[in-house]
Amino acid sequence: MNLRRDVFQAISDPTRRAILLLVASQSLSAGAIAANFDTARPTISKHLQILTECELLRQEQTGREVHYHISAQKMKEVADFLEPFRQMWDERFNKLEAVMKQYKSKQDGTEN
């Protein structure tokens, strides 16, 4: 059975999110990534494999080392998917803020 990795399952893990943040600013080797964690290197390698399978990271061979780069296109796809949810929550928070301001102004008006 061929199992495909799910992008959202991959980014649900805090270590993998931390790896994405590290690699977002610069490409890094597996060793350089692993040096940022108090975890065994094989564990980090497994995280890198999952992120690569999901196409969130891409590998580039540089001499004997493999460097990992963020896949901007795949990250944009994830952001595009999440955008309607962000907009929905922004609207809800804006409505809540308006209600709270109205409530506060009523409270301020009755105390004077």
Side-chain angles (χ1 to χ4, degrees):
M1 180 189 325
N2 185 14
L3 296 175
R4 287 194 60 212
R5 298 276 184 194
D6 178 66
V7 169
F8 293 100
Q9 184 182 22
I11 62 177
S12 69
D13 183 275
T15 301
R16 290 192 283 269
R17 288 194 308 270
I19 290 170
L20 289 171
L21 288 171
L22 279 172
V23 179
S25 60
Q26 64 181 340
S27 65
L28 294 169
S29 67
I33 293 168
N36 288 279
F37 298 93
D38 292 330
T39 307
R41 189 167 171 167
T43 303
I44 297 300
S45 292
K46 182 65 177 173
H47 287 304
L48 291 170
Q49 177 187 358
I50 291 168
L51 291 169
T52 303
E53 287 175 5
C54 291
E55 300 176 350
L56 292 169
L57 292 181
R58 59 183 174 79
Q59 297 175 329
E60 181 180 309
Q61 187 80 29
T62 307
R64 295 189 317 177
E65 285 193 330
V66 175
H67 282 80
Y68 292 87
H69 303 264
I70 196 91
S71 173
Q73 179 59 37
K74 192 65 165 186
M75 293 300 288
K76 183 179 179 334
E77 289 175 22
V78 172
D80 289 348
F81 175 81
L82 293 173
E83 181 60 21
F85 298 101
R86 188 195 62 77
Q87 289 175 359
M88 177 188 66
W89 282 106
D90 280 350
E91 289 171 12
R92 288 182 180 184
F93 284 124
N94 289 340
K95 287 178 184 176
L96 178 60
E97 183 179 28
V99 168
M100 296 297 289
K101 284 180 180 177
Q102 186 179 25
Y103 177 77
K104 182 162 176 26
S105 67
K106 283 183 181 179
Q107 289 292 324
D108 291 344
T110 58
E111 291 179 7
N112 289 334

